[in-house]
Amino acid sequence: MLTMKCAACRKKLFRYRKIGQGEVHRCHKDRIVRMVHARERPDGLYCACGCRVGMDRGSYYTMVKKAVTYSGEKINK
């Protein structure tokens, strides 16, 4: 389980179930466990501070590079 945070203000955005190794380029909407400070808008995902952290692509968000940091453990399969 990963905790995604805004790189600008360090607020927690959401908890995400990451499967497999590698970077977090896409966050699938069905794997987001709990939203904290993230706000969904028609054009993407934003932090409460106003920073854009993801672009809406339908069933997933494409994360903006260097706008998000994360901590936690990834599930290896």
PDB file of all heavy atoms in Angstrom, residues 13-15 32-40 45 61:
ATOM      1  N   LEU A  13      -2.418  12.759  -0.359  1.00  0.00           N
ATOM      2  CA  LEU A  13      -3.448  12.828  -1.386  1.00  0.00           C
ATOM      3  C   LEU A  13      -4.393  11.641  -1.297  1.00  0.00           C
ATOM      4  O   LEU A  13      -5.603  11.812  -1.185  1.00  0.00           O
ATOM      5  CB  LEU A  13      -2.810  12.874  -2.770  1.00  0.00           C
ATOM      6  CG  LEU A  13      -1.939  14.092  -3.051  1.00  0.00           C
ATOM      7  CD1 LEU A  13      -1.202  13.912  -4.351  1.00  0.00           C
ATOM      8  CD2 LEU A  13      -2.799  15.342  -3.079  1.00  0.00           C
ATOM      9  N   PHE A  14      -3.842  10.431  -1.398  1.00  0.00           N
ATOM     10  CA  PHE A  14      -4.656   9.222  -1.324  1.00  0.00           C
ATOM     11  C   PHE A  14      -3.796   8.013  -1.017  1.00  0.00           C
ATOM     12  O   PHE A  14      -2.581   8.069  -1.098  1.00  0.00           O
ATOM     13  CB  PHE A  14      -5.458   9.010  -2.622  1.00  0.00           C
ATOM     14  CG  PHE A  14      -4.635   8.975  -3.882  1.00  0.00           C
ATOM     15  CD1 PHE A  14      -4.091   7.796  -4.348  1.00  0.00           C
ATOM     16  CD2 PHE A  14      -4.433  10.122  -4.624  1.00  0.00           C
ATOM     17  CE1 PHE A  14      -3.351   7.752  -5.508  1.00  0.00           C
ATOM     18  CE2 PHE A  14      -3.696  10.100  -5.795  1.00  0.00           C
ATOM     19  CZ  PHE A  14      -3.156   8.906  -6.236  1.00  0.00           C
ATOM     20  N   ARG A  15      -4.459   6.915  -0.641  1.00  0.00           N
ATOM     21  CA  ARG A  15      -3.808   5.617  -0.425  1.00  0.00           C
ATOM     22  C   ARG A  15      -4.057   4.792  -1.673  1.00  0.00           C
ATOM     23  O   ARG A  15      -5.180   4.737  -2.170  1.00  0.00           O
ATOM     24  CB  ARG A  15      -4.385   4.922   0.802  1.00  0.00           C
ATOM     25  CG  ARG A  15      -4.252   5.686   2.090  1.00  0.00           C
ATOM     26  CD  ARG A  15      -3.038   5.391   2.868  1.00  0.00           C
ATOM     27  NE  ARG A  15      -2.991   3.985   3.223  1.00  0.00           N
ATOM     28  CZ  ARG A  15      -1.913   3.393   3.670  1.00  0.00           C
ATOM     29  NH1 ARG A  15      -0.821   4.072   3.841  1.00  0.00           N
ATOM     30  NH2 ARG A  15      -1.914   2.118   3.965  1.00  0.00           N
ATOM     31  N   ILE A  32      -7.490   2.875  -5.927  1.00  0.00           N
ATOM     32  CA  ILE A  32      -7.403   3.941  -4.932  1.00  0.00           C
ATOM     33  C   ILE A  32      -8.305   3.548  -3.770  1.00  0.00           C
ATOM     34  O   ILE A  32      -9.503   3.356  -3.935  1.00  0.00           O
ATOM     35  CB  ILE A  32      -7.804   5.305  -5.525  1.00  0.00           C
ATOM     36  CG1 ILE A  32      -6.802   5.719  -6.595  1.00  0.00           C
ATOM     37  CG2 ILE A  32      -7.892   6.355  -4.429  1.00  0.00           C
ATOM     38  CD1 ILE A  32      -7.153   6.990  -7.330  1.00  0.00           C
ATOM     39  N   VAL A  33      -7.699   3.407  -2.601  1.00  0.00           N
ATOM     40  CA  VAL A  33      -8.425   2.923  -1.429  1.00  0.00           C
ATOM     41  C   VAL A  33      -9.156   4.058  -0.720  1.00  0.00           C
ATOM     42  O   VAL A  33     -10.335   3.943  -0.402  1.00  0.00           O
ATOM     43  CB  VAL A  33      -7.459   2.214  -0.453  1.00  0.00           C
ATOM     44  CG1 VAL A  33      -8.170   1.768   0.798  1.00  0.00           C
ATOM     45  CG2 VAL A  33      -6.793   1.040  -1.144  1.00  0.00           C
ATOM     46  N   ARG A  34      -8.460   5.164  -0.465  1.00  0.00           N
ATOM     47  CA  ARG A  34      -9.057   6.265   0.270  1.00  0.00           C
ATOM     48  C   ARG A  34      -8.490   7.595  -0.206  1.00  0.00           C
ATOM     49  O   ARG A  34      -7.284   7.778  -0.270  1.00  0.00           O
ATOM     50  CB  ARG A  34      -8.782   6.101   1.756  1.00  0.00           C
ATOM     51  CG  ARG A  34      -9.572   7.051   2.630  1.00  0.00           C
ATOM     52  CD  ARG A  34      -9.235   6.855   4.070  1.00  0.00           C
ATOM     53  NE  ARG A  34      -8.068   7.702   4.333  1.00  0.00           N
ATOM     54  CZ  ARG A  34      -7.366   7.677   5.451  1.00  0.00           C
ATOM     55  NH1 ARG A  34      -7.664   6.832   6.390  1.00  0.00           N
ATOM     56  NH2 ARG A  34      -6.349   8.466   5.621  1.00  0.00           N
ATOM     57  N   MET A  35      -9.371   8.537  -0.549  1.00  0.00           N
ATOM     58  CA  MET A  35      -8.959   9.896  -0.918  1.00  0.00           C
ATOM     59  C   MET A  35      -8.854  10.725   0.357  1.00  0.00           C
ATOM     60  O   MET A  35      -9.727  10.652   1.216  1.00  0.00           O
ATOM     61  CB  MET A  35      -9.979  10.547  -1.843  1.00  0.00           C
ATOM     62  CG  MET A  35     -10.056   9.898  -3.188  1.00  0.00           C
ATOM     63  SD  MET A  35      -8.643  10.304  -4.174  1.00  0.00           S
ATOM     64  CE  MET A  35      -9.419  10.725  -5.686  1.00  0.00           C
ATOM     65  N   VAL A  36      -7.789  11.531   0.483  1.00  0.00           N
ATOM     66  CA  VAL A  36      -7.611  12.371   1.663  1.00  0.00           C
ATOM     67  C   VAL A  36      -7.727  13.839   1.262  1.00  0.00           C
ATOM     68  O   VAL A  36      -8.742  14.467   1.510  1.00  0.00           O
ATOM     69  CB  VAL A  36      -6.257  12.085   2.358  1.00  0.00           C
ATOM     70  CG1 VAL A  36      -6.107  12.928   3.614  1.00  0.00           C
ATOM     71  CG2 VAL A  36      -6.140  10.612   2.702  1.00  0.00           C
ATOM     72  N   HIS A  37      -6.698  14.400   0.623  1.00  0.00           N
ATOM     73  CA  HIS A  37      -6.724  15.797   0.210  1.00  0.00           C
ATOM     74  C   HIS A  37      -6.815  15.967  -1.306  1.00  0.00           C
ATOM     75  O   HIS A  37      -6.758  17.086  -1.806  1.00  0.00           O
ATOM     76  CB  HIS A  37      -5.478  16.540   0.719  1.00  0.00           C
ATOM     77  CG  HIS A  37      -5.506  16.794   2.190  1.00  0.00           C
ATOM     78  ND1 HIS A  37      -4.733  16.068   3.061  1.00  0.00           N
ATOM     79  CD2 HIS A  37      -6.218  17.659   2.935  1.00  0.00           C
ATOM     80  CE1 HIS A  37      -4.961  16.487   4.288  1.00  0.00           C
ATOM     81  NE2 HIS A  37      -5.870  17.446   4.249  1.00  0.00           N
ATOM     82  N   ALA A  38      -6.938  14.886  -2.041  1.00  0.00           N
ATOM     83  CA  ALA A  38      -7.034  14.967  -3.503  1.00  0.00           C
ATOM     84  C   ALA A  38      -8.458  15.359  -3.896  1.00  0.00           C
ATOM     85  O   ALA A  38      -9.433  14.917  -3.295  1.00  0.00           O
ATOM     86  CB  ALA A  38      -6.677  13.632  -4.130  1.00  0.00           C
ATOM     87  N   ARG A  39      -8.566  16.194  -4.914  1.00  0.00           N
ATOM     88  CA  ARG A  39      -9.854  16.643  -5.411  1.00  0.00           C
ATOM     89  C   ARG A  39      -9.963  16.318  -6.897  1.00  0.00           C
ATOM     90  O   ARG A  39      -9.069  16.651  -7.677  1.00  0.00           O
ATOM     91  CB  ARG A  39     -10.015  18.158  -5.227  1.00  0.00           C
ATOM     92  CG  ARG A  39      -9.857  18.624  -3.796  1.00  0.00           C
ATOM     93  CD  ARG A  39     -11.023  18.158  -2.935  1.00  0.00           C
ATOM     94  NE  ARG A  39     -10.836  18.569  -1.554  1.00  0.00           N
ATOM     95  CZ  ARG A  39     -10.601  17.737  -0.558  1.00  0.00           C
ATOM     96  NH1 ARG A  39     -10.474  16.453  -0.786  1.00  0.00           N
ATOM     97  NH2 ARG A  39     -10.458  18.176   0.672  1.00  0.00           N
ATOM     98  N   GLU A  40     -11.050  15.676  -7.276  1.00  0.00           N
ATOM     99  CA  GLU A  40     -11.277  15.333  -8.674  1.00  0.00           C
ATOM    100  C   GLU A  40     -11.968  16.492  -9.380  1.00  0.00           C
ATOM    101  O   GLU A  40     -12.959  17.017  -8.883  1.00  0.00           O
ATOM    102  CB  GLU A  40     -12.149  14.088  -8.784  1.00  0.00           C
ATOM    103  CG  GLU A  40     -11.467  12.838  -8.304  1.00  0.00           C
ATOM    104  CD  GLU A  40     -12.366  11.634  -8.435  1.00  0.00           C
ATOM    105  OE1 GLU A  40     -13.255  11.499  -7.581  1.00  0.00           O
ATOM    106  OE2 GLU A  40     -12.179  10.860  -9.387  1.00  0.00           O
ATOM    107  N   LEU A  45      -6.726  15.462 -11.544  1.00  0.00           N
ATOM    108  CA  LEU A  45      -6.672  15.286 -10.095  1.00  0.00           C
ATOM    109  C   LEU A  45      -5.803  16.399  -9.520  1.00  0.00           C
ATOM    110  O   LEU A  45      -4.696  16.630  -9.999  1.00  0.00           O
ATOM    111  CB  LEU A  45      -6.076  13.915  -9.779  1.00  0.00           C
ATOM    112  CG  LEU A  45      -6.162  13.396  -8.371  1.00  0.00           C
ATOM    113  CD1 LEU A  45      -7.624  13.176  -7.980  1.00  0.00           C
ATOM    114  CD2 LEU A  45      -5.402  12.094  -8.245  1.00  0.00           C
ATOM    115  N   TYR A  61      -5.531   7.568 -13.795  1.00  0.00           N
ATOM    116  CA  TYR A  61      -4.909   8.886 -13.827  1.00  0.00           C
ATOM    117  C   TYR A  61      -3.467   8.736 -14.268  1.00  0.00           C
ATOM    118  O   TYR A  61      -2.755   7.859 -13.778  1.00  0.00           O
ATOM    119  CB  TYR A  61      -4.911   9.546 -12.445  1.00  0.00           C
ATOM    120  CG  TYR A  61      -6.273   9.882 -11.917  1.00  0.00           C
ATOM    121  CD1 TYR A  61      -6.824   9.151 -10.879  1.00  0.00           C
ATOM    122  CD2 TYR A  61      -7.012  10.925 -12.452  1.00  0.00           C
ATOM    123  CE1 TYR A  61      -8.072   9.457 -10.377  1.00  0.00           C
ATOM    124  CE2 TYR A  61      -8.267  11.233 -11.963  1.00  0.00           C
ATOM    125  CZ  TYR A  61      -8.793  10.493 -10.930  1.00  0.00           C
ATOM    126  OH  TYR A  61     -10.035  10.789 -10.448  1.00  0.00           O
TER     127      TYR A  61
END
